[in-house]
Amino acid sequence: MQAFLSSSIPATSYSRSSFLPQPPQAPAKLALPSGPRGAAAAVARRAVEAGRAGRCVAASASSSPATTTAAATEVLGIMKAWVYDAYGDASVLKLDEAVAVPPVADDQVLVKVVAAALNPVDAKRRAGKFQATDSPLPTVPGYDVAGVVVKVGSQVKGLKEGDEVYGMISEKPLEGPKQSGSLAEYTAVEEKLLALKPKGLDFAQAAGLPLAILTANEGLEKAGFSAGKSVLVLGGAGGVGSLAIQLAKQVYGASKVAATASTKKIELLKSLGADVAIDYTKENFEELPEKYDVVFDAVGQGDKAVKVVNEGGSVVVLTGAVSPPGFRFVVTSNGSTLEKLNPYLESGKVKPLVDPTGPFPFSQVVEAFSYLETGRATGKVVISPVP
Protein backbone atom coordinates (compact mmCIF):
# COMPACT_ATOMS: atom_id res chain seq x y z
CA MET A 1 0.00 0.00 0.00
CA GLN A 2 2.83 2.39 0.78
CA ALA A 3 3.94 2.34 -2.84
CA PHE A 4 0.95 4.35 -3.96
CA LEU A 5 2.49 7.75 -3.30
CA SER A 6 4.85 8.04 -6.21
CA SER A 7 4.00 6.28 -9.45
CA SER A 8 1.46 6.58 -12.23
CA ILE A 9 -1.27 4.03 -12.87
CA PRO A 10 -2.93 2.62 -15.97
CA ALA A 11 -6.34 4.15 -16.63
CA THR A 12 -9.33 1.94 -15.87
CA SER A 13 -12.99 2.67 -16.60
CA TYR A 14 -15.67 2.32 -13.94
CA SER A 15 -19.32 3.28 -13.66
CA ARG A 16 -20.55 6.31 -11.72
CA SER A 17 -23.43 6.54 -9.29
CA SER A 18 -24.53 9.65 -7.38
CA PHE A 19 -22.81 12.90 -6.41
CA LEU A 20 -22.16 14.36 -2.99
CA PRO A 21 -25.33 14.93 -0.96
CA GLN A 22 -26.70 18.33 -1.87
CA PRO A 23 -27.35 20.99 0.76
CA PRO A 24 -30.85 22.36 1.31
CA GLN A 25 -32.42 24.61 -1.31
CA ALA A 26 -31.75 27.64 0.87
CA PRO A 27 -28.34 26.80 2.37
CA ALA A 28 -27.18 28.38 5.57
CA LYS A 29 -24.55 31.05 5.20
CA LEU A 30 -21.43 31.41 7.30
CA ALA A 31 -21.36 35.15 7.82
CA LEU A 32 -18.05 36.96 7.82
CA PRO A 33 -18.77 40.34 9.39
CA SER A 34 -16.62 43.39 9.10
CA GLY A 35 -13.66 43.06 11.41
CA PRO A 36 -11.06 40.32 11.39
CA ARG A 37 -13.15 37.72 9.62
CA GLY A 38 -14.42 40.10 6.97
CA ALA A 39 -10.84 41.20 6.44
CA ALA A 40 -9.78 37.58 6.10
CA ALA A 41 -12.29 37.04 3.32
CA ALA A 42 -11.08 40.20 1.62
CA VAL A 43 -7.52 38.85 1.76
CA ALA A 44 -8.76 35.59 0.27
CA ARG A 45 -10.45 37.41 -2.60
CA ARG A 46 -7.29 39.40 -3.30
CA ALA A 47 -5.21 36.21 -3.17
CA VAL A 48 -7.41 34.54 -5.79
CA GLU A 49 -7.23 37.64 -7.98
CA ALA A 50 -3.45 37.60 -7.61
CA GLY A 51 -3.44 33.96 -8.67
CA ARG A 52 -5.34 34.84 -11.82
CA ALA A 53 -2.82 37.56 -12.55
CA GLY A 54 0.09 35.19 -11.93
CA ARG A 55 1.45 37.13 -8.96
CA CYS A 56 1.63 36.82 -5.21
CA VAL A 57 -0.09 39.22 -2.82
CA ALA A 58 1.39 39.38 0.65
CA ALA A 59 -1.41 40.61 2.87
CA SER A 60 -2.89 39.82 6.25
CA ALA A 61 -5.95 40.84 8.18
CA SER A 62 -5.61 43.13 11.17
CA SER A 63 -6.42 41.54 14.52
CA SER A 64 -8.12 44.75 15.61
CA PRO A 65 -11.66 45.48 14.38
CA ALA A 66 -11.00 49.19 14.83
CA THR A 67 -8.28 49.15 12.17
CA THR A 68 -10.12 46.99 9.65
CA THR A 69 -11.46 48.65 6.53
CA ALA A 70 -12.33 45.57 4.47
CA ALA A 71 -15.97 45.32 3.48
CA ALA A 72 -18.09 42.53 4.90
CA THR A 73 -18.59 39.43 2.80
CA GLU A 74 -20.04 35.96 3.20
CA VAL A 75 -18.90 32.39 2.76
CA LEU A 76 -21.88 30.51 1.36
CA GLY A 77 -22.77 27.12 2.76
CA ILE A 78 -22.09 25.60 -0.66
CA MET A 79 -19.01 25.65 -2.87
CA LYS A 80 -17.60 24.45 -6.17
CA ALA A 81 -15.59 21.25 -5.94
CA TRP A 82 -14.35 18.38 -8.07
CA VAL A 83 -16.03 15.15 -6.99
CA TYR A 84 -16.05 11.46 -7.79
CA ASP A 85 -18.59 9.00 -6.43
CA ALA A 86 -17.13 5.88 -8.04
CA TYR A 87 -13.54 4.73 -8.51
CA GLY A 88 -12.00 4.85 -11.96
CA ASP A 89 -9.94 6.88 -14.40
CA ALA A 90 -9.98 10.67 -14.65
CA SER A 91 -13.36 10.63 -16.38
CA VAL A 92 -15.13 9.88 -13.07
CA LEU A 93 -14.27 13.41 -11.89
CA LYS A 94 -17.12 15.90 -12.16
CA LEU A 95 -17.29 19.58 -11.27
CA ASP A 96 -20.12 20.08 -8.78
CA GLU A 97 -21.19 23.64 -8.00
CA ALA A 98 -23.32 22.78 -4.95
CA VAL A 99 -21.09 20.86 -2.55
CA ALA A 100 -21.46 21.59 1.15
CA VAL A 101 -18.63 23.62 2.68
CA PRO A 102 -16.91 21.27 5.18
CA PRO A 103 -17.58 21.92 8.87
CA VAL A 104 -14.69 23.23 10.96
CA ALA A 105 -13.68 21.20 14.03
CA ASP A 106 -12.28 22.84 17.14
CA ASP A 107 -8.67 22.10 16.13
CA GLN A 108 -9.16 23.06 12.48
CA VAL A 109 -9.19 26.13 10.28
CA LEU A 110 -11.24 26.73 7.15
CA VAL A 111 -8.97 27.60 4.24
CA LYS A 112 -10.09 29.48 1.14
CA VAL A 113 -8.16 27.48 -1.42
CA VAL A 114 -6.14 29.61 -3.85
CA ALA A 115 -4.04 26.79 -5.36
CA ALA A 116 -3.83 23.02 -5.08
CA ALA A 117 -1.51 20.38 -6.49
CA LEU A 118 -1.88 16.84 -7.76
CA ASN A 119 0.19 13.86 -6.64
CA PRO A 120 0.39 10.28 -7.88
CA VAL A 121 -1.34 9.22 -4.66
CA ASP A 122 -4.39 11.23 -5.75
CA ALA A 123 -4.62 9.14 -8.92
CA LYS A 124 -4.03 5.89 -7.03
CA ARG A 125 -6.75 6.77 -4.55
CA ARG A 126 -9.21 7.75 -7.29
CA ALA A 127 -8.52 4.44 -9.05
CA GLY A 128 -9.50 2.57 -5.87
CA LYS A 129 -6.06 1.18 -5.10
CA PHE A 130 -6.55 1.43 -1.33
CA GLN A 131 -10.29 1.25 -0.82
CA ALA A 132 -9.92 -0.66 2.44
CA THR A 133 -8.47 2.36 4.23
CA ASP A 134 -10.04 5.16 2.19
CA SER A 135 -12.73 7.52 3.45
CA PRO A 136 -16.26 6.87 2.15
CA LEU A 137 -17.35 7.96 -1.29
CA PRO A 138 -18.19 10.47 -2.67
CA THR A 139 -14.79 12.18 -2.50
CA VAL A 140 -13.41 15.63 -3.14
CA PRO A 141 -9.77 14.73 -3.95
CA GLY A 142 -6.60 16.68 -3.21
CA TYR A 143 -3.92 16.63 -0.51
CA ASP A 144 -1.82 19.73 -1.22
CA VAL A 145 -3.21 23.19 -0.53
CA ALA A 146 -2.20 26.83 -0.38
CA GLY A 147 -4.68 29.49 0.59
CA VAL A 148 -6.03 31.92 3.16
CA VAL A 149 -7.53 31.13 6.57
CA VAL A 150 -11.11 32.45 6.75
CA LYS A 151 -12.33 30.75 9.93
CA VAL A 152 -10.66 29.20 12.99
CA GLY A 153 -11.82 26.56 15.46
CA SER A 154 -12.07 27.28 19.16
CA GLN A 155 -8.84 25.42 20.03
CA VAL A 156 -6.68 27.00 17.31
CA LYS A 157 -3.87 29.03 18.88
CA GLY A 158 -1.24 29.76 16.25
CA LEU A 159 -3.24 30.74 13.18
CA LYS A 160 -5.73 33.54 12.62
CA GLU A 161 -8.09 34.67 9.89
CA GLY A 162 -6.17 36.24 7.04
CA ASP A 163 -3.07 34.06 7.42
CA GLU A 164 -1.67 32.72 4.15
CA VAL A 165 -0.91 29.05 4.70
CA TYR A 166 0.12 25.84 2.95
CA GLY A 167 0.20 22.19 3.87
CA MET A 168 -0.87 18.61 3.28
CA ILE A 169 -4.42 18.33 4.56
CA SER A 170 -4.47 14.64 5.63
CA GLU A 171 -2.01 13.51 8.28
CA LYS A 172 -1.77 9.99 6.81
CA PRO A 173 -2.56 10.01 3.07
CA LEU A 174 -3.39 6.31 2.91
CA GLU A 175 -5.19 5.90 6.24
CA GLY A 176 -8.60 7.52 6.27
CA PRO A 177 -7.72 10.60 4.19
CA LYS A 178 -10.17 13.48 4.28
CA GLN A 179 -13.35 13.02 2.29
CA SER A 180 -13.36 16.73 1.45
CA GLY A 181 -9.99 17.56 -0.09
CA SER A 182 -8.25 20.56 -1.60
CA LEU A 183 -9.73 20.53 -5.12
CA ALA A 184 -12.50 22.81 -3.92
CA GLU A 185 -13.11 26.41 -2.98
CA TYR A 186 -12.71 25.60 0.73
CA THR A 187 -11.14 22.87 2.80
CA ALA A 188 -10.99 22.29 6.57
CA VAL A 189 -7.56 21.40 7.95
CA GLU A 190 -6.06 20.72 11.38
CA GLU A 191 -3.87 23.59 12.48
CA LYS A 192 -0.95 21.22 13.18
CA LEU A 193 -0.81 20.22 9.49
CA LEU A 194 -0.33 23.78 8.19
CA ALA A 195 2.44 26.36 8.12
CA LEU A 196 2.55 29.97 7.04
CA LYS A 197 3.22 30.25 3.31
CA PRO A 198 6.90 31.05 2.70
CA LYS A 199 7.51 34.71 1.95
CA GLY A 200 8.41 35.29 -1.67
CA LEU A 201 6.55 32.27 -3.02
CA ASP A 202 3.22 32.62 -4.79
CA PHE A 203 0.34 30.33 -3.97
CA ALA A 204 0.93 28.05 -6.97
CA GLN A 205 4.54 27.47 -5.94
CA ALA A 206 3.57 26.86 -2.32
CA ALA A 207 0.76 24.45 -3.24
CA GLY A 208 3.22 22.20 -5.07
CA LEU A 209 5.44 21.72 -2.04
CA PRO A 210 3.81 19.99 0.95
CA LEU A 211 3.52 16.29 0.15
CA ALA A 212 6.65 16.26 -2.01
CA ILE A 213 8.96 18.17 0.33
CA LEU A 214 7.70 16.27 3.38
CA THR A 215 8.30 12.96 1.56
CA ALA A 216 11.80 13.98 0.48
CA ASN A 217 12.71 15.19 3.95
CA GLU A 218 11.26 12.22 5.83
CA GLY A 219 12.92 9.76 3.47
CA LEU A 220 16.36 11.32 3.98
CA GLU A 221 15.77 11.49 7.71
CA LYS A 222 14.71 7.85 8.01
CA ALA A 223 17.74 6.82 5.92
CA GLY A 224 20.00 8.46 8.50
CA PHE A 225 21.32 10.94 5.97
CA SER A 226 23.68 13.58 7.36
CA ALA A 227 26.46 15.98 6.45
CA GLY A 228 29.31 14.47 4.47
CA LYS A 229 27.32 11.57 3.06
CA SER A 230 26.57 10.90 -0.61
CA VAL A 231 23.20 10.23 -2.24
CA LEU A 232 21.85 9.08 -5.59
CA VAL A 233 18.34 10.27 -6.43
CA LEU A 234 16.48 8.18 -9.00
CA GLY A 235 13.94 10.37 -10.76
CA GLY A 236 15.56 13.68 -9.94
CA ALA A 237 13.29 15.80 -12.14
CA GLY A 238 10.06 14.71 -10.45
CA GLY A 239 8.20 16.42 -7.65
CA VAL A 240 9.83 14.45 -4.83
CA GLY A 241 13.16 13.84 -6.56
CA SER A 242 13.80 17.50 -7.35
CA LEU A 243 13.33 18.38 -3.70
CA ALA A 244 15.38 15.42 -2.46
CA ILE A 245 18.33 16.76 -4.46
CA GLN A 246 17.97 20.23 -2.97
CA LEU A 247 17.37 19.13 0.61
CA ALA A 248 20.33 16.74 0.52
CA LYS A 249 22.58 19.53 -0.69
CA GLN A 250 21.24 22.61 1.08
CA VAL A 251 19.75 21.26 4.31
CA TYR A 252 21.65 18.06 5.07
CA GLY A 253 25.08 19.04 3.72
CA ALA A 254 25.67 16.17 1.30
CA SER A 255 29.22 15.61 0.10
CA LYS A 256 27.95 14.44 -3.30
CA VAL A 257 24.52 14.38 -4.94
CA ALA A 258 23.91 12.34 -8.08
CA ALA A 259 20.60 12.04 -9.87
CA THR A 260 19.01 10.44 -12.91
CA ALA A 261 16.74 11.95 -15.57
CA SER A 262 16.15 11.88 -19.31
CA THR A 263 18.37 13.76 -21.75
CA LYS A 264 16.34 16.98 -21.89
CA LYS A 265 16.28 17.26 -18.09
CA ILE A 266 20.01 16.82 -17.39
CA GLU A 267 20.66 20.57 -17.17
CA LEU A 268 17.74 20.89 -14.78
CA LEU A 269 19.38 18.37 -12.45
CA LYS A 270 22.55 20.44 -12.42
CA SER A 271 20.62 23.63 -11.72
CA LEU A 272 19.01 21.93 -8.72
CA GLY A 273 22.44 21.15 -7.28
CA ALA A 274 23.27 17.68 -8.59
CA ASP A 275 27.03 17.14 -8.80
CA VAL A 276 26.55 14.17 -11.09
CA ALA A 277 23.69 14.10 -13.62
CA ILE A 278 23.07 10.67 -15.15
CA ASP A 279 21.12 10.39 -18.40
CA TYR A 280 19.25 7.12 -17.96
CA THR A 281 18.60 6.91 -21.72
CA LYS A 282 22.35 6.61 -22.29
CA GLU A 283 23.74 5.02 -19.12
CA ASN A 284 22.62 2.36 -16.68
CA PHE A 285 23.34 3.81 -13.26
CA GLU A 286 23.70 0.35 -11.71
CA GLU A 287 26.62 -0.38 -14.05
CA LEU A 288 28.59 2.73 -13.08
CA PRO A 289 31.46 2.28 -10.59
CA GLU A 290 30.31 4.91 -8.07
CA LYS A 291 28.46 3.80 -4.95
CA TYR A 292 26.49 5.95 -2.50
CA ASP A 293 25.63 6.07 1.18
CA VAL A 294 21.95 6.52 0.36
CA VAL A 295 19.92 5.82 -2.76
CA PHE A 296 16.58 7.64 -2.93
CA ASP A 297 14.40 5.72 -5.37
CA ALA A 298 11.38 7.75 -6.46
CA VAL A 299 10.66 5.73 -9.62
CA GLY A 300 10.51 2.05 -8.63
CA GLN A 301 13.97 0.67 -9.42
CA GLY A 302 14.74 -0.75 -6.01
CA ASP A 303 16.20 -3.98 -7.42
CA LYS A 304 18.85 -1.95 -9.24
CA ALA A 305 19.28 0.63 -6.49
CA VAL A 306 20.63 -1.93 -4.02
CA LYS A 307 23.54 -2.58 -6.38
CA VAL A 308 24.96 0.93 -5.96
CA VAL A 309 24.60 1.49 -2.22
CA ASN A 310 27.61 1.39 0.06
CA GLU A 311 27.86 -1.30 2.71
CA GLY A 312 25.89 -0.10 5.71
CA GLY A 313 23.93 2.34 3.55
CA SER A 314 20.19 2.67 2.93
CA VAL A 315 17.83 2.63 -0.02
CA VAL A 316 14.65 4.70 0.25
CA VAL A 317 11.98 3.12 -1.95
CA LEU A 318 8.79 5.05 -2.68
CA THR A 319 7.27 2.58 -5.12
CA GLY A 320 7.91 -0.88 -6.51
CA ALA A 321 9.72 -3.87 -5.05
CA VAL A 322 11.86 -3.53 -1.94
CA SER A 323 15.05 -5.52 -1.35
CA PRO A 324 17.39 -5.20 1.66
CA PRO A 325 18.74 -2.71 2.65
CA GLY A 326 15.79 -0.94 1.09
CA PHE A 327 12.81 0.31 3.07
CA ARG A 328 9.49 1.96 2.29
CA PHE A 329 7.45 4.43 4.30
CA VAL A 330 4.31 6.53 4.12
CA VAL A 331 4.83 10.23 4.64
CA THR A 332 3.22 11.96 7.62
CA SER A 333 1.89 15.49 7.25
CA ASN A 334 3.51 17.86 9.72
CA GLY A 335 3.19 21.63 9.76
CA SER A 336 6.14 22.06 12.10
CA THR A 337 8.43 20.39 9.55
CA LEU A 338 7.24 22.82 6.90
CA GLU A 339 7.95 25.69 9.29
CA LYS A 340 11.52 24.42 9.79
CA LEU A 341 12.03 24.26 6.02
CA ASN A 342 10.52 27.69 5.35
CA PRO A 343 13.81 29.60 5.80
CA TYR A 344 15.42 27.53 3.04
CA LEU A 345 12.47 28.26 0.76
CA GLU A 346 12.39 31.95 1.63
CA SER A 347 16.13 32.34 1.01
CA GLY A 348 15.91 30.58 -2.36
CA LYS A 349 18.29 27.80 -1.33
CA VAL A 350 15.46 25.34 -1.97
CA LYS A 351 13.16 26.14 -4.89
CA PRO A 352 9.75 24.71 -5.79
CA LEU A 353 9.51 23.16 -9.23
CA VAL A 354 6.15 23.65 -10.97
CA ASP A 355 5.66 21.81 -14.25
CA PRO A 356 5.82 24.39 -17.08
CA THR A 357 2.72 22.93 -18.73
CA GLY A 358 0.71 24.44 -15.88
CA PRO A 359 -0.56 25.77 -13.69
CA PHE A 360 -3.83 24.28 -14.90
CA PRO A 361 -6.99 26.32 -14.30
CA PHE A 362 -9.59 24.91 -11.91
CA SER A 363 -11.81 24.04 -14.87
CA GLN A 364 -9.16 21.65 -16.26
CA VAL A 365 -8.64 19.26 -13.34
CA VAL A 366 -9.46 16.26 -15.55
CA GLU A 367 -6.82 17.34 -18.08
CA ALA A 368 -4.34 17.93 -15.27
CA PHE A 369 -4.88 14.42 -13.90
CA SER A 370 -4.49 12.93 -17.38
CA TYR A 371 -1.21 14.78 -17.79
CA LEU A 372 0.03 13.71 -14.35
CA GLU A 373 -0.66 10.09 -15.20
CA THR A 374 1.53 10.18 -18.30
CA GLY A 375 4.48 10.17 -15.90
CA ARG A 376 6.16 12.94 -17.91
CA ALA A 377 5.66 15.87 -15.56
CA THR A 378 8.65 17.92 -14.48
CA GLY A 379 8.16 18.86 -10.86
CA LYS A 380 4.60 19.34 -9.66
CA VAL A 381 1.29 19.57 -11.51
CA VAL A 382 -0.52 22.54 -9.96
CA ILE A 383 -4.12 23.79 -10.13
CA SER A 384 -4.35 27.58 -9.88
CA PRO A 385 -6.21 29.76 -9.37
CA VAL A 386 -9.10 28.13 -7.55
CA PRO A 387 -12.06 30.54 -7.90
Side-chain angles (χ1 to χ4, degrees):
M1 182 180 299
Q2 295 95 326
F4 296 139
L5 291 172
S6 303
S7 62
S8 298
I9 59 172
T12 306
S13 295
Y14 292 75
S15 63
R16 301 185 69 254
S17 54
S18 59
F19 287 117
L20 281 173
Q22 302 301 306
Q25 289 294 324
K29 295 181 179 181
L30 304 177
L32 296 182
S34 59
R37 193 170 296 176
V43 171
R45 289 197 308 273
R46 291 164 59 192
V48 173
E49 290 165 0
R52 290 194 181 101
R55 57 187 176 87
C56 174
V57 169
S60 61
S62 169
S63 60
S64 170
T67 60
T68 299
T69 58
T73 188
E74 293 175 325
V75 176
L76 296 176
I78 59 173
M79 64 179 182
K80 295 178 182 178
W82 284 91
V83 181
Y84 58 87
D85 62 357
Y87 294 114
D89 62 19
S91 68
V92 301
L93 288 157
K94 303 298 177 185
L95 181 59
D96 192 331
E97 298 190 359
V99 176
V101 172
V104 181
D106 290 343
D107 63 342
Q108 292 182 328
V109 300
L110 186 66
V111 176
K112 172 62 190 78
V113 181
V114 179
L118 305 185
N119 294 281
V121 66
D122 291 295
K124 296 281 189 180
R125 180 186 182 192
R126 191 206 63 228
K129 295 296 184 179
F130 51 97
Q131 296 182 40
T133 58
D134 199 2
S135 56
L137 294 171
T139 297
V140 175
Y143 291 94
D144 285 333
V145 69
V148 180
V149 175
V150 294
K151 184 178 180 181
V152 299
S154 61
Q155 296 177 7
V156 171
K157 304 299 182 184
L159 294 175
K160 64 183 184 302
E161 288 123 341
D163 281 344
E164 298 177 352
V165 296
Y166 76 125
M168 189 174 98
I169 69 168
S170 291
E171 187 168 11
K172 293 288 187 180
L174 303 186
E175 299 174 18
K178 284 185 172 61
Q179 187 177 13
S180 188
S182 61
L183 290 175
E185 290 184 90
Y186 297 93
T187 191
V189 193
E190 288 79 2
E191 178 186 25
K192 67 179 181 178
L193 305 184
L194 296 172
L196 293 176
K197 181 175 70 66
K199 297 179 180 68
L201 297 190
D202 62 31
F203 285 94
Q205 291 171 321
L209 284 166
L211 189 148
I213 200 168
L214 289 170
T215 300
N217 183 73
E218 191 171 341
L220 291 170
E221 193 175 66
K222 287 182 178 295
F225 198 72
S226 58
K229 291 187 176 182
S230 60
V231 61
L232 168 63
V233 179
L234 304 181
V240 175
S242 62
L243 289 162
I245 292 171
Q246 296 180 80
L247 294 184
K249 194 78 169 183
Q250 300 295 338
V251 178
Y252 286 84
S255 61
K256 178 182 285 188
V257 177
T260 65
S262 61
T263 305
K264 66 179 182 179
K265 298 178 181 179
I266 292 299
E267 291 305 314
L268 171 63
L269 297 185
K270 295 176 182 177
S271 73
L272 294 171
D275 302 296
V276 179
I278 302 170
D279 184 345
Y280 67 74
T281 70
K282 298 178 180 178
E283 295 181 294
N284 296 319
F285 70 87
E286 72 274 17
E287 297 175 358
L288 300 176
E290 188 77 28
K291 293 187 182 297
Y292 302 88
D293 298 312
V294 170
V295 180
F296 197 114
D297 176 20
V299 293
Q301 295 184 315
D303 55 336
K304 297 178 181 178
V306 297
K307 298 178 181 180
V308 294
V309 66
N310 284 327
E311 185 175 351
S314 297
V315 178
V316 183
V317 179
L318 299 186
T319 185
V322 180
S323 302
F327 70 90
R328 189 181 302 155
F329 73 100
V330 176
V331 64
T332 299
S333 180
N334 190 328
S336 63
T337 300
L338 294 176
E339 290 172 0
K340 292 175 183 177
L341 294 172
N342 270 359
Y344 297 94
L345 294 161
E346 293 176 344
S347 68
K349 290 183 178 180
V350 176
K351 299 178 177 65
L353 183 60
V354 176
D355 186 273
T357 306
F360 288 80
F362 189 64
S363 60
Q364 293 183 8
V365 165
V366 173
E367 291 85 349
F369 262 108
S370 297
Y371 177 66
L372 171 77
E373 292 171 72
T374 65
R376 299 191 184 98
T378 300
K380 291 301 294 291
V381 176
V382 172
I383 307 298
S384 178
V386 176

